Structures are given as C-alpha cells and as structure tokens.
C-alpha cells in the first residue's frame, strides 16, 4: 500500500492530479459498479519549483479533432522524425525545428519526468493585467476609511504596468475617468436601470465613433488604447491621482431615512464594470473587484428592499418560496457572470457586513469566473485587510499567484470519455468524440474556461469508462488523459501547461484487489463531496444526503468484507477505512447542512469548497484538531468530543476558522496568571504553542480564516463544539461514564451510531 | 371722452359720412364715383354748417393758443370732440389753411359742426383735437373747463342719449377733451359757438395741433389733417393714393382747394376734419375728388392722387402721446377714485396708491364696464386687464407693504376667499365684514377686530395697508406652502452648452467669465447681506456634466451623465451651493470649463434632458428655482425631446402655417407641466446659427414663466455686450417662484381667459414656476351676470409666491372700476394701448390654431365692430361717409395695422420661422408699454436733440416721408435700436457721432456708438442709454445708412408706410377700416 500512497503523492506533486482510482476498471459496466466515479482533482497551475517553462510552442497532433500535445507517452520514430499521437493514433511529422532529435537528444516534452510541462507562447499581443475596483460607498465612515486605505495600499502591490480602474456606487454608479488633470471626472449612471453592454459603451463614449477622416486607413488599432485609457490607466502613471481620488471618496451622499437601508446599486455597478471591460479589453485577463458592505437594494440584482423592517431572505424564506427578489437577482448576476466569463474577466466579491450581503445571488459571479469570494464582518478587520493583501501575494519566483483567462482542454484515450467538471469554470461547449453524454457537474464539453486561477485552484474532472465489457483491453494497456491549460500568466505571457497522465487498466472481475488498493479515498471523498455540493445547489438538502448515503452504502457493499446480515463481521480495507468517516463529517458540514447558516454563508462555504485543492478540501470536510498539553508534544487528536479535556489546549482548523480552545483547567490557570510567573514559564510556552501554530496557518491561508480564541464555557466555543463528533451528548453522557471529554448538547448522531447503521445497512441482504 | 366724441362724432358722422362715403366708396369699392360724390356733397353741406357753427372754432382759437395748450381743460372738451369730429369735422381744415397756426383746420371743423350745435362744439374740439386729442387727461381737466362741459352737454342733449347726467357729460367731456388735446379749446368753444366759424378758419391751419406753428404751412395740405388726426380716419381714400403721393397730392389738389372751399363750405371742412387729409382734398375738389374716391376702393388705381388722405390729417400716435405727456405727466396719479383712466404708458407720472392698484400693476382695456353682457357684446370691446404683479416701481414710489396677520393667515372672505382689502365693508360695529366681491358676511377674527368710527371706517384704517392701499403683501402661513412645509430658498442652475459651436464662438468662455462676477449679484431680499439663492452648474453637449462644487473640495468634480434617455441628478450634496462658501471651487470650475472643452469636436446637443436634469436637481433639493440654459443648436442627438428640422417657408399662408408655431412634439408640454409642479422656471438663451425650432424649445420656458433670449449668429465682438447685459439683468431681476395667481372679481363678471407665459391646470389658477418683474399676464373678463352702476366692479389679483429668500408671500392688487349702462361711457374710458396689448396676445395665440389669414380678418372685424358700434350708438348722426372714431380709440386703427403687419401675422421674406415663434412668445408676456413701442416704434430725430438738456427730442411718426436726408434718427421697438443716417447729414455730425470723416466711412458693423468727447456724441449716447434703460432687454444697436442695403430692414419698422411684405400703409388701412365699418353699419 505504501507504494500506492507514494505513487499518489508523487503524482500529485508532479502533475497536480489525484485520481479517485489509480487503476482503472476496464469496462463501463464495472466502472459503474465501483460506485465512486473515475475522476480526478486537477490543480492546473500547481506550483512547481522544478519546472522551468520551455520557450517554444508545443507540437500538436495534426488531426483537427485531436490536437493533442506531443508528450512522453507518444511513440516516436526518431529516424522518420515521426510521432504517433497516443490519443488518436495519428502519425505526425515533427516540425522542422525538431530535425535534430534522437533517442539521446530528446526534447523535454518527451522525457518521462516532464509529464507536466509548461510552454511560453510568444505570439499575440501582450496586454497588461487589468484591475477594476468596484467600490460600495454606502458604508459606515470607519469602514469606508479602512477600505479606502486598503485600496490605496493595494496600488503599491499591483504590477506597475497593470491597468487600473475605479467604479464607485451607492444610489448611483460612478465610473471614474482617471486620465484627466485638474477636475476629476466621472460618468454617472442611475442605479435602477439595467443597461445593455452596448448602451453602457455608448454612454461611456467607448463605442468606436464612425471615423470619417480615416476611411482610407483600415487600421485604427492605435486609437483603441486611447479610448479605453480614460477609465483604465497604468498604475504607475496615475497612482498619485488615484490615491487622491480614493482619499476623497465620500460616503454616498444621498440621505438614508430612519428605518431604511441605503440604496445600493450593486447590480448596475457590476453590470457597468462588466460592460466596460467587455467593450475595451475583451479576452484579456482582468479582475473586477467588487467591495460591498451590504445587500443590493435597488435596480436589477436587488436582493432586498430598502425597508429595514423586511429582513433579507433566510433559508426558511427560500424553502417557503418567500424570497421575492432571489430568482430575478440570481438571473441578473448569472447573466453578468457568463458575459464576464466569456470575455475572460473574473469577478471578485469582497463582502463585509454583519448581515448578509446577497452572496447567494451573486455567488455565480465568483463561481463562474474563478473570482475570489471573501466574507467578513467589516472592512476594518484584519481578516479583510490581510485577505485582500494576500490577493496580491507573490509566489516563490516573485510572480503574482494569479493567472487569467485559462482555457482547460482535456483529451482522453478512446476508452474514456469526459463527463464533466466541477470547479470555478464555465463550459466552452467544445463537443467532441471524447465527451460523454452523461454529465457530472458542468459537462457536455471537453473544454472549460477558468477566468482566474491561482496555484491552488483545483477542478474536479469526472470521466466515464466507455469501453464495452466484451471488448477487453489487452493486458498492460494504459489509459491516458491529457490536460492542456492555456492561460495568461501574471507576467502577461501566454503560457500553455500540458499534463499527460496514464493509468493501467484492470479487469475488475479478476483484479479487483489491484483496483481496490489503488483507491484514493481522500480524493474520492473530495470528489464525491464536490458532486454532493454541486447537487446541493440545485436540489433539496435531504435528497443530497440520501444520495450520499446510498453511495456510501453501495461502496461498502462492494468493497467491504462481511458476512451477510452480520454487521459485526463488517471490515473495510485500509484504503477505504477513512472514507465513511469523511462522509460522516461531510454530512454534518455547512456545505450540505444549511441549518444555522445563512444562505450567504452557505454560498461562501460552497464557493471555497469547489475550488480548493485536496488538502484544504479535506480540512473543510473534516477539520483538523490538535491538542497541546503537558503530557507530550502537540498531537493531532480525534475530532471528537472526547478530545475536549480540561488540561488541554485545542487548536482546530476548519479552513474558515482557526479555533484555539483552552480547556477548563488551563483557562483557570490562565486566569490565575500562572503564565506570568517565571516558575511557570512552561505554562506560558504551552499557551504560546498553539498561537504560533495558528499563526503559521494564518500566514498561508487564503482567504484569511476567522481567528477565534476561546476557552471552556466561552460563547465562541460553539465553533469547536459544533464540529466535533458528538460522541458524548446529554443523552449518553452517563451511559458512557465519566472517563473524559465534554458532552455536546445535540441530537445529532455521533460517528459511532453512524457507523453502526452503515454496517447494518451494508451487510443487509435486503438492500 | 366718449361723450364728447359722441357728440362730435354725431355731427361728424352726419356730415362726414357724405363726404367720406364719397371718398371711401369710390376708393374701396370703386363704387360709382359720380353718384356718390354728389350725394356726399349734399350731405356734407348739411353737416358742414352745423359743424362750423359749433363751438369748435372757438375751441380752436384756444387752440390757436395752442402754444398755450396749457389750458388743457378747455382743450379737453374740444379735443374729445376733435377726435370724433375729426373724422368728419376735419373738414374745417379748409379753414385750416388759414388758421393753421391754431390748428386752424380744427376750427374749420368746428365751424362745420357749429351748425349742429353739438357738432359745433365737437367740431371745435376736434379741430383742436388734433392738438388736443391727447386730452385723455381731460377728465381731470373737466372741472377746469367748465365751459366746455356746457357745450358738450349741449351736444349731448342734441344727441338725445347723451343727456344723461351732467357728470356723465363731464366725463364725456373729459373723454372729449382728451381726444382733442385742444382742451383749451373748449372754453373757446363756448365762445366759439357764436363766433365759431370765423374763429375756426384761423385755427384750421394749426391742425397739427401742438407745437406746430409750422404746420400751418403744411397746413394747407395739412391743415385739414391735423384736426383729423385722431378720429377722422374716415376718408381713407387718400391713403390709397400712396404715401409717396402725400406730399405731392396734398399740395396739388387738396391743399389749394381746401382752403377756398372752407370758407364757402364750412360744413365740408368740418367733414374734412374727420378725415382731415381727405377732407381737404374732398372739400376743395369735392366734385372732382369724389370721382377720385372710387379709386380708393381699388386703392390708388386711377385718380387717387387727388383723394389721398393727408397723413398729417389722420390721428397721430405721436400727437396723442405728446398730449398725454403734457397733460398728465406733471401731477401724480392718485388712485383713490373708482374707474379712473390712468395716463398713457408713454407718460412719466407718479402714482399715489390710495386704495387702487397702480397702473404699473394693472391696466384695463376699459375703466368703465358695461353693466350687462348684452352691452358688452354689442360693443365688442374686450374687457381685459393687463396685470404685472411684480412690476418694478420707480424709486419714488413705495413697494407694497408686507402685512402679517399672524398664525391664522390673512383674513379672507369665508365664501369666495377674497383677501381683506379696502373695499370690504365692516358692519355690526366692526365685528363682521361683508365681502365686496360676493357679499358674504364673515366674522372678523378676534385678533383683527377694531372699532369703527362714525363714518363706518375702521379706526385703524390708515394703519393697515390692506385697508387703505390698492397693493400690499401678506406673509403666507404654512397652509399656503407646498406639502405644508415652508419652502427652502430657491436655486439658480446654470446650464451651458459646450458643443463645438458654443466653444468655438467663445461663448462658453464668455459665460464662465461673466458668471464669476455675476454670482455676487444674485437677487436678495431687501435687507439681507447675502443672497439666499444657491447655485449649481451643468455643462452639456450630447451628455450632461454636473459639477460638485462643495466648499470642502480642493477641486471641483465633474460627473458625466450620459444616460440622457432617463435623466437623473448624480449628486445631491455639493451640486447646489452657497456662492460665498464655495467661492474658490466655483472660480476654479469656471476657469476650467472653457479649457476642458477647448478641443471638443462634439456638435450634437440634447435639450430636454437638460431641463429634466435641472428639474430633478431642484426636486432632489426640494426647492424651487430657475434654470439658465445657454443653448446653440437644434437638439438632434438621440434623447427624449430630440427634434428634427421642420422649417418650411412654403407653409406660410397655408392652412398648415400654424404648425410652425406649434411644438413638434407634446413632450415638452409634459415636461413643462412637471417643471411647473416643482417650481422650476426656465430661462433660455439661444445662440442659433440656423433653425433651432424656437417654437418647440420655447415651450418649457414659456409655460414656466421664463424668458427666451435669442442672439442669432452670435458673434463675440458685436453681441457680447448685449448678451451680457441681458444676462445680468435676467439674473439680478426680482423674481418670485412657484407662483399661483388668481383673479377674483365682483359677482357679475368673471375672469375667463388668460394670456401670458404660464401654465394652467384648471380654469382659474395661473401657475408660474417663476414670475419676474417683467412678466405680464393679460386676463379677459366676461359677464356672467349683471353689474350695478352703484357698486361698480372690483378686481382682486392675488399672487402667491416664494420670494428669492424663500419666504412665502401673497401679493394682492385691488382695482375698482366703474360700471355703465351707456355705451358712451364705455367708449370714453377705454385705453387703446391696453386694448392693443390684449388684441395682439389674442391674435398671437390664435395663430396656433387658425390660419393667419383668419386671425387677421377676425382682428379687423372685431375692431370694425367696436368702431361701428360706437358710430352707431354714441356718435352724433352724420354722413355715412365720415369715419368717426371714439376719442380714446382714435389710434386703434393705426395700432391695429401695426399688429397686423407684425412679423407674426404678416412675415416678410427676411423673417425666419424662429423669429416669428420667438416674437410670438415674447409678445405674449409683454406689458402695455412694451407692446406699445413694439408695435409702434419710437422714432427720434437725433439731430434735433437739445444737447444741453436731458430730454429726448420730440418723436416723429413712423413714416419714411418724415425722414430728412440731412438728419440722423433713432428708432427703437424694444428689441432693436436703429440709428439711421441720412445721406446728406453734415460731415460734422458724422464726425462727432461716428468719429469718421464721411458718410461712406460709417461702418455697419458697429454694435455700439464710439465714445467720443463731444456734446453731440454724448447726447446721443445718453439717449441710447436712457432708452436701453427703459427696456427689459438690451436692444441690438444697428447703424443704418440711407440707401444702404440694411435700410430695407429699417424700413420694415416704419409702420405707417406700406410694408414690403404687403402690409397696408396707415392711410390705406384707415380707408379699409372705414369701409368695413360702413359695411357693418349698412
């Protein structure tokens, strides 16, 4: 098994790919019986320190429907200078530049260690990165001030040649012209009127005027930048101006009467931002960064009326079909998201408010375009400030950890077809022979657009084995998948990253143990979770849970070892052993449970779940719990109520929150001030240890987690208590005796109960 | 007046008619000359004697004394007569020849009348009339001219109806006098009776009333004419003979003959008086003349020459104005007496408010209203009041006092809601008051109670303006405010077109520069240190730019709104600011605007969205205000209210002509309605280089009570001074906002129709977003019941408005009028200038719905009816051929002709569609003084000016023949000032005035007169300045050299002449009117 774990790990490090199955069942029938689909988590831009990009362009298969990239799996005839495509078996001539190749003089892309390789494409104009700030001015003075400072600070973090623009909104929407001297100039739009892209461009004076003078000269490209430059200017030119402009930003001046929400035209502001970029820089990497401090209250995309007495929709309202603006608003933002995505622009949402801000309706903007979604209580918190700062963080080589306008093309060998993808992408509707009719996630295509991605952005890609049972694959046959990601690097270069992987086929009837051993339960859990969350967006919660349960039971039935109707005999092999536990926690997670979460929070959690890599996703599913005590070094402990002991400090990482919890005794000690006494320096160290560890996590996480420091009995302890497995509750506290842990006041089933039921159902001959 | 006139007329009619008929018939209808004449003659003869006998002669004598006209009194009587008589009487002219000095002609007329006794008097008067006519002042004079009355009375008696009461007679007298300035004459008249005839002759020459000793000379020709001036119009035929002819004609046949005839046939002369010019002609020639008469019908055709009316013999506006000025300019006009006719608008006089509103606020077409609607219908005299609620008063007169009745608001009648006024009757010891309008009895509120004195007057009568004055203001309570909230101070928003044309012409820079200083002169409430008015700025072309000029900003901020389809205001705070607080930001903005758009290539503009923007801004700020829009072109950019060029001169004189005056789309009407609801007044400054559809663009300014200024082909060098003056005045002038005006009247009449720049959402309330001190509303009244002579008729005009400091006020004007059961009383108390104001507005509105031809015909018809009614009911019987005009209305024909010839009703080829629409709207809110000079321009011989005095030279009549090649003249009509330079003006004068050495070197391009240090230049410039100061708009100065091509333009304003566009000459028109009248009478 170790070998498989290593293999999996190696593969992940090299290619950023984790498959649910690393040995593939060789027929459609058997594949479906595996319950967990053949799928992978792909991190297209996984950071590879050891992967210098090559400075030439990839060699493509000449078959128009294939166009796979030359890769190490291809058969090469060095003498004839031919290569055979391993996907379509087309034989291709090497281009002239490859005339010198031989067995000993191979280009990088043919070397096995370069199963993932990155090309830099020189052609095409290089356009600078574009950042368009869309700023809500209906904020409290303090918030606005903090936001202004953050924005001003961000100017120094942008690449100097990046173009930057500013749109502010409140009751009206203002597009600021940045180029002018003296009088600051802005175009104002009313916040209640939805404008077509064309209208917006006309009104901003972006539409190409009929130029009578230059009929003779068809090339008017030089004029284009001139036009757009009014609103989007290189940072280095106008950072002073813009800093002043931001500094002078005032709160929305329109009076807000008692009992009303400020009128906030988020919908129109976004629409204008999208329209502006659409008209000026289509198909260029650009970020629209929306900063909002409350729900849209007017115009298209309004989420709630301005009467404070009508609260914003809750899950309850939604279930009761009582959210009157939701559908319309969602549609508005979806349209925007699709337009924006089609042009390769991404939309970030930074929403900071104590109440909901309409993320539910706006989520698609970030989800479909690969934008960030950040939710906080106020712009005046370190959570926001640091998160925002981290957007502009740089990678190991000093490059921004962001890429734009990626186009992911997946190619498969003939036995496989592509069922779909789940992640921050939209379909490019590229039909082809390798596209399955059965859709999982966003399907019906072999290409997706990811408008913005960073090194951790991870897509789940689902496949379907289409090989028929009666057409066995020869022993030792391998299936191959090639991921071709074209994107705009933060340095504005166009790059292409190609990852080609292959896995062995195995006959499930004869070689089930191979397949079983090659199961990647972590990847499988995340992949199944993504499917579940994806479904949860459109289906009723209970249905999704039932579906998850059924899948789990079927998996256990398929791979468990048991005697019929004897739950006690049930065993799972090591490669499956953790899977039920993941599913247990997934069922309890905010991704599937809406209880206690607002619709916005759910959207927020799901957003991040659908784009983080495997490790982070697992943390989200099953938070990590560390214990610090005088009994030994810090250790991970079970996410269980039994881990909550008085003399322990617990550190829980749920991805979204970092909770430090002082056990009852520790808390008393701390109150007593022992940590300040020299003789108890060790106590001080103990208190400090989790803080340091938490700091480490905080340093790297995006978005910044909510940092919670609490203690036994503290109100904030609920974050911990709601996550741990309720093995002890008020119901069974005494039955279990007093050995340890803290009771959780809940009616939720504990993992033990869950497992018991699972076993019972798995072994049941009835099902 | 009317009485006199009647009297006079009576005789004139009889006599004149014959003569006239002869004339007219021939002329107009081309009737059988021979026959007619004869009969006429006959007729003449008859009357003649009568006439002659009449006092007139004597009157004339006095008139001889003309120089002494000072004795207006007598004149009055005479005058009144004169007018009437003139028609026929003028005949005297014959005698005139000799008497010239004393308006001999008149005398002759008198003589003629004398036979009639009444007539005599009248005649006498008429004769003098020429001079006297003005007498309107007569009323005052009446007392003085005791004798006159007598004579008058006599006349009346004869007439039968007149007998009325002595008082009436007096009144009549007054009227009469007016007519025949000759006031002085009256007394003589008395004497004259006996002597009459003889005296007349001498006078006759004088006809040219007043000053003209000289006239006599012309006298021969003129002789008759002078007297005829006012009323005589009758024998128009001559006119037909053509202006040019006058000189010649009179000379030839007429003059010569007349004199001779006169002696023999006084009667004839008399007739002539009526139609002086003609008269003379006729008289002498009678036989021959008549034949000529036919020609009249078909104007000049055949014999006209002989028949021509001598232009000097027909009523002269100049004379009337001059007389009134002399007679009534010296003493204050005290308003205490009911139904007083005020001095003419051309007269400088002071007003003492003693219970009735000053004529500066209200003028009526008649100060004596028929008691019944039948009478009113019969007379066809429109009953209208021209109200200028916020009129500016001369410094010597006090502004209306502000009265505060406390929290409960002004005391009002319970039923009709009329406001407390001097006419309310307090009863029951002062505990209640009875409404003077509806008779309802209302409790006096405790806080307002006051005891009555023995005469039933409240003890505090003189302490309370609302009890003792005709005009005063109430402080309005919150009940009188929109939304029951006291208004905020109003705002001014300057909206500047920054399209290519505006920038290139330098206009944008000019406006910005000017605003910098002008903003310090915003109107403010009397004693306030700074204006409460806030200001805002917008520039626009195809899109709108708003500016944030908040005082805390270092730099103004510009906000562009390109969503013109759905206009809104992008900012609230910082758009409307206090000038002092934001001074530096505003200055910075005004500096930068011209720079920002210096390179603009945008040529298209929007318009409606600009108004909408201003409207929305005021809405957002919850205040009323005024938009100053500076606009250059037809708004063709895609936006609401977009217009297309629809100028089509081919439509002129077709049934579709009215569309040229109608707006292209109803969009602007709706917009105007919204503006009015918000109190958003729009002032529009237009700088067109081509058609920009004033008819449509003007809708909003017009309906919101705003003004339009138009500077075609604006050029910085020549037009900037004019524009800046207008702008300054427009910004600085007193203005009220969000105004509602209601006119209440005594039971029996009702305000039924309103003319002016405003909007009405119901039938009684005139709503104006803004009302400035120059805006006038003309209100027409109709009977809905009977009035009583005892109680008279009352008008109360209440204007609710927000002052420029944001104070809500009610301005009340009260006016009491007399009521009459005799038509003569009506005709004696009319004011022609006001009548013309009404008729012009009525006609100008008519062109929106009817073909212009119909409108013109209706006008002529109405006036003919008015005059015919007079002739039929008030004038003494006389020959049908005589044209007899009421003294008060003797100028009606000439003024009416001017209205008919105006650009709107009869456009010349050089008048653009925009000009017509512009003028149409302009006239609609003019007051009486403005319409007066607009339709009958003032023509001053500059070379006759006395450089040592500060007076103006005597005006002369608007006819080319009055111009002398050797003189320089100034002509002004309220819009333009022309300086006409004759070809043979002395070089010295040219040098002095223009600083060039010869006529040919004078540049047409001058927009101001060069500043030269010599008395003549100074004098002329001071005259121009003085005239400019009298007008609400700065007039364009145009230098016209005789025989230059610009002269065509100038001649257009010589309204007594035939116009190029087909307008009749005065004389022709008079004939035509006569014919119309006669048709009505027959």
């Amino acid at each position: 098994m170790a070998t498989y774990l290593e293999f999996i790990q190696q593969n992940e490090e090299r290619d950023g790919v984790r498959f649910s199955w690393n040995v593939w069942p060789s027929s459609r029938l058997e594949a479906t019986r595996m319950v967990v689909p053949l799928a992978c988590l792909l991190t297209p831009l996984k950071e590879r320190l050891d992967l210098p990009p090559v400075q030439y362009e990839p060699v493509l298969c000449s078959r128009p429907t294939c166009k796979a990239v030359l890769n190490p799996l291809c058969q090469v005839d060095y003498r004839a200078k031919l290569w055979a495509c391993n996907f379509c078996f087309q034989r291709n001539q090497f281009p002239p530049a490859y005339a010198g190749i031989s067995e000993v003089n191979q280009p990088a892309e043919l070397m096995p260690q370069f199963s993932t390789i990155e090309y830099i494409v020189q052609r095409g104009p290089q356009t600078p990165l574009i950042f368009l700030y869309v700023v809500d001015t209906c904020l409290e003075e303090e918030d606005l001030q903090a936001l202004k400072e953050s924005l001003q600070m961000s100017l120094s973090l942008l690449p100097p040649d990046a173009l930057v623009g500013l749109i502010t909104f409140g009751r009206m929407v203002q597009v600021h012209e940045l180029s002018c001297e003296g009088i600051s100039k802005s175009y104002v739009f009313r916040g209640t009127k939805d404008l077509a892209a064309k209208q917006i461009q006309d009104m901003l004076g972006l539409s190409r005027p009929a130029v009578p003078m230059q009929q003779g000269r068809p090339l008017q490209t030089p004029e284009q930048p001139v036009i757009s430059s009014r609103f989007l200017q290189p940072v280095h030119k106008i950072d002073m101006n813009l800093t002043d402009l931001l500094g002078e930003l005032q709160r929305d001046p329109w009076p807000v009467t008692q009992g009303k929400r400020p009128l906030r035209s988020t919908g129109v502001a976004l629409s204008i931002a999208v329209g502006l970029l659409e008209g000026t820089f289509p198909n260029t990497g650009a970020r629209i960064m929306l900063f909002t401090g409350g729900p849209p209250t007017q115009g298209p995309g309004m989420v709630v009326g301005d009467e404070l007495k009508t609260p914003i929709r809750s899950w309850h309202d939604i279930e009761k079909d009582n959210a009157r603006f939701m559908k319309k608003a969602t549609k508005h933002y979806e349209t925007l998201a699709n337009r924006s995505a089609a042009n390769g622009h991404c939309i970030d949402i930074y929403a900071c408010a104590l109440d909901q801000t309409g993320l539910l309706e706006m989520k698609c903007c970030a989800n479909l375009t690969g934008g960030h979604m950040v939710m906080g209580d106020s712009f005046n918190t370190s959570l926001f400030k640091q998160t925002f700062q981290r957007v502009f963080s740089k990678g190991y080589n000093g490059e921004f950890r962001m890429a734009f306008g990626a186009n992911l093309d997946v190619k498969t060998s003939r036995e496989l077809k592509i069922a779909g993808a789940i992640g921050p992408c939209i379909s490019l509707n590229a039909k082809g022979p390798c596209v399955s009719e059965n859709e999982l996630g966003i399907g019906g295509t072999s290409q997706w657009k990811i408008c913005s991605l960073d090194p951790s952005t991870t897509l789940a890609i689902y496949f379907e084995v289409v090989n028929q049972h009666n057409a066995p694959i020869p022993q030792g046959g391998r299936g191959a998948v090639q991921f071709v990601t074209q994107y705009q690097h933060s340095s504005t270069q166009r790059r292409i990253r190609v990852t080609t992987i292959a896995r062995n086929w195995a006959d499930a009837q004869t070689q089930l143990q191979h397949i079983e051993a090659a199961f990647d339960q972590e990847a499988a859990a995340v992949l199944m979770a993504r499917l579940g969350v994806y479904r949860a967006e459109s289906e009723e919660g209970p249905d999704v849970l039932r579906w998850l349960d059924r899948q789990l039971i079927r998996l256990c039935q398929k791979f468990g070892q048991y005697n019929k109707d004897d739950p006690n005999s049930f065993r799972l092999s090591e490669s499956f052993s953790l899977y039920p536990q993941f599913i247990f926690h997934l069922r309890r997670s905010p991704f599937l449970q809406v209880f206690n979460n607002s619709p916005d929070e759910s959207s927020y959690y799901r957003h991040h779940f659908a784009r983080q890599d495997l490790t982070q996703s697992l943390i989200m599913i099953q938070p990590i719990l560390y214990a610090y005590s005088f009994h030994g070094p810090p250790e991970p402990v079970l996410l269980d109520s039994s881990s909550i002991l008085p003399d322990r400090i617990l550190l829980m990482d749920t991805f979204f929150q970092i909770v430090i919890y002082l056990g009852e005794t520790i808390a008393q000690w701390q109150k007593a001030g022992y940590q300040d006494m020299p003789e108890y320096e060790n106590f001080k160290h103990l208190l400090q240890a989790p803080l340091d560890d938490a700091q480490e996590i905080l340093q790297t996480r995006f978005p910044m987690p909510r940092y919670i420091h609490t203690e036994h009995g503290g109100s904030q302890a609920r974050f911990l208590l709601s996550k741990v497995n309720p093995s002890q509750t008020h119901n069974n506290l005494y039955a279990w005796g007093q050995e340890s842990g803290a009771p959780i006041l809940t009616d939720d089933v504990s993992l033990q109960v869950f497992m018991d039921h699972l076993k019972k159902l798995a072994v049941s001959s009835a099902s | 007046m009317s009485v006199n006139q009647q009297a006079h007329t009576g005789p004139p009619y009889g006599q004149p008619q014959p003569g006239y008929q002869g004339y007219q018939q021939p002329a107009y209808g081309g009737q059988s000359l021979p026959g007619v004449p004869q009969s006429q003659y006959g007729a003449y003869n008859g009357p003649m004697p009568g006439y002659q006998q009449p006092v007139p002669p004597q009157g004339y004598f006095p008139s001889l004394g003309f120089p002494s006209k000072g004795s207006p009194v007598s004149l009055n009587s005479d005058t009144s007569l004169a007018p009437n008589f003139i028609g026929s009487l003028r005949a005297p002219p014959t005698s005139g020849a000799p008497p010239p000095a004393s308006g001999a002609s008149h005398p002759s007329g008198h003589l003629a009348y004398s036979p009639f006794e009444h007539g005599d008097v009248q005649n006498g008067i008429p004769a003098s009339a020429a001079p006297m006519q003005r007498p309107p002042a007569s009323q005052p004079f009446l007392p003085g001219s005791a004798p006159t009355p007598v004579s008058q009375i006599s006349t009346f008696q004869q007439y039968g109806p007149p007998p009325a009461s002595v008082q009436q007679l007096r009144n009549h007298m007054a009227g009469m006098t007016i007519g025949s300035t000759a006031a002085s004459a009256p007394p003589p008249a008395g004497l004259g009776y006996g002597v009459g005839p003889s005296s007349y002759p001498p006078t006759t020459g004088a006809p040219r009333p007043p000053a003209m000793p000289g006239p006599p000379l012309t006298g021969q020709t003129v002789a008759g004419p002078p007297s005829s001036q006012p009323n005589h119009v009758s024998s128009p035929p001559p006119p037909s003979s053509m202006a040019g002819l006058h000189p010649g004609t009179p000379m030839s046949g007429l003059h010569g003959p007349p004199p001779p005839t006169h002696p023999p046939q006084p009667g004839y002369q008399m007739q002539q008086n009526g139609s002086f010019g003609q008269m003379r002609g006729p008289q002498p020639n009678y036989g021959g003349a008549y034949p000529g008469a036919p020609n009249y019908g078909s104007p000049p055709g055949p014999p006209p020459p002989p028949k021509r009316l001598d232009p000097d013999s027909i009523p002269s506006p100049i004379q009337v104005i001059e007389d009134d000025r002399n007679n009534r300019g010296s003493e204050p006009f005290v308003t205490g007496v009911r139904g007083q006719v005020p001095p003419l608008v051309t007269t400088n006089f002071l007003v003492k408010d003693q219970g009735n509103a000053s004529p500066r606020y209200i003028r009526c077409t008649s100060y004596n209203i028929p008691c019944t609607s039948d009478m009113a219908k019969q007379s066809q005299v429109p009953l209208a009041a021209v109200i200028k609620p916020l009129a500016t008063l001369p410094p010597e007169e006090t502004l209306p006092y502000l009265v505060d009745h406390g929290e409960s608001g002004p005391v009002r009648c319970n039923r009709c809601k009329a406001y407390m006024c001097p006419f309310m009757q307090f009863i029951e010891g002062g505990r209640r008051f009875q409404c003077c309008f509806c008779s309802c009895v209302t409790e006096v509120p405790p806080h307002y109670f006051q005891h009555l004195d023995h005469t039933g007057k409240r003890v505090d009568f003189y302490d309370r303006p609302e009890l003792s004055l005709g005009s005063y203001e109430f402080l309005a309570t919150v009940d009188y405010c929109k939304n029951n909230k006291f208004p905020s101070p109003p705002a001014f928003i300057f909206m500047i077109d920054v399209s290519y044309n505006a920038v290139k012409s330098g206009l944008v820079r000019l406006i910005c520069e000017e605003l910098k200083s002008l903003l310090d002169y915003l109107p403010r409430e009397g004693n306030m240190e700074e204006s409460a008015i806030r200001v805002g700025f917008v520039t626009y072309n195809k899109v709108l730019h708003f500016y944030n000029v908040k005082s805390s900003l270092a730099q103004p901020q510009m906000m562009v709104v390109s969503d013109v389809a759905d206009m809104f205001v992008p900012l609230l705070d910082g758009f409307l600011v206090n000038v002092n607080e934001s001074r530096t930001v505003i200055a910075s903005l005004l500096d930068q605007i011209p720079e920002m758009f210096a390179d603009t290539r945008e040529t298209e503009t929007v318009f409606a969205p600009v108004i909408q923007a201003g409207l929305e801004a005021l809405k957002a700020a919850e205040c009323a205000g005024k938009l100053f829009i500076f606009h250059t072109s037809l708004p063709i950019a895609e936006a609401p209210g977009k217009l297309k060029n629809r100028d089509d001169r081919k439509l002129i004189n077709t049934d579709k002509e009215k569309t040229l005056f109608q707006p292209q789309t109803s969009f602007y009407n709706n917009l105007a309605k919204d503006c009015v609801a918000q109190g958003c007044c729009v002032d529009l400054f237009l700088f067109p280089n081509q058609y920009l559809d004033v008819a449509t663009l003007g809708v909003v300014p017009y309906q919101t009570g705003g003004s339009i200024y138009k500077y075609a082909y604006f050029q910085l060098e020549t037009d900037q001074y004019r524009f800046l003056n207008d702008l300054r005045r427009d910004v600085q002038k007193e203005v009220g906002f969000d105004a509602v005006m209601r006119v209440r009247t005594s039971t029996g009449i009702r305000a039924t129709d309103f003319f002016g720049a405003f909007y009405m959402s119901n039938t009684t309330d005139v709503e104006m977003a803004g009302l400035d001190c120059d805006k006038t509303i003309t209100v027409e009244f109709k009977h809905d019941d009977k009035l009583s002579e005892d109680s008279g008729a009352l008008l109360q005009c209440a204007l609710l408005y927000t002052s420029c400091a944001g104070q809500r006020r009610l301005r009340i004007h009260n006016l009491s009028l007399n009521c009459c059961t005799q038509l003569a009383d009506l005709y004696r108390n009319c004011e022609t200038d006001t009548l013309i104001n009404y008729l012009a507005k009525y006609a100008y509105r008519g062109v929106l719905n009817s073909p212009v031809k119909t409108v013109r015909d209706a006008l002529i018809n109405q006036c003919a009816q008015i005059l015919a009614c007079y002739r039929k009911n008030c004038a003494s019987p006389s020959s049908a051929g005589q044209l007899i005009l009421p003294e008060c209305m003797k100028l009606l024909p000439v003024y009416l002709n001017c209205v008919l010839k105006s650009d709107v009703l009869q456009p010349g080829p050089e008048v653009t569609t925009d000009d017509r629409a512009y003028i149409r709207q302009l006239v609609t809110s003019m007051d009486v003084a403005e319409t007066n000079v607009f339709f009958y321009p003032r023509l001053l011989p500059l070379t006759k000016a006395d450089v040592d005095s500060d007076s103006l030279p005597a005006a002369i009549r608007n006819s080319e023949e009055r111009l002398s090649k050797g003189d320089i003249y100034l002509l002004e009509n309220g819009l333009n000032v022309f300086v006409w330079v004759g070809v043979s003006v002395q070089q010295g004068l040219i040098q002095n005035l223009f600083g060039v050495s010869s006529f040919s070197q004078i540049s047409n391009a001058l927009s101001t007169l060069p500043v030269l240090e010599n008395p003549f230049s100074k004098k002329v410039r001071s005259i121009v300045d003085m005239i400019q100061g009298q007008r609400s708009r700065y007039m364009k100065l145009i230098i016209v050299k005789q025989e230059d091509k610009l002269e065509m333009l100038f001649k257009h304003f010589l309204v007594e002449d035939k116009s190029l566009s087909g307008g009749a000459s005065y004389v022709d028109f008079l004939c035509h009117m006569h014919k119309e009248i006669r048709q009505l009478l027959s």
Side-chain angles (χ1 to χ4, degrees), chain A residues 172 174 184 186 188 190 203, chain B residues 558-560 562 566 568-569:
Chain A
M172 312 273 170
Q174 278 178 270
S184 70
S186 57
V188 189
R190 81 187 325 162
M203 291 180 186
Chain B
M558 174 192 207
M559 304 176 104
V560 184
S562 22
D566 195 4
F568 62 96
V569 184

Side-chain angles (χ1 to χ4, degrees), chain B residues 645-661:
Chain B
N645 190 331
R646 51 155 189 170
D647 189 12
D648 185 359
R649 292 190 63 89
K650 286 206 259 333
L651 294 182
I652 292 177
N653 289 326
T654 69
D655 282 355
K656 285 189 176 165
E657 183 171 1
K658 60 189 178 191
T659 59
L660 296 177
F661 297 110

Side-chain angles (χ1 to χ4, degrees), chain A residues 629-641:
Chain A
S629 73
F630 289 122
H631 305 300
E635 53 174 356
V637 292
L638 283 177
L639 183 64
D640 192 296
S641 59

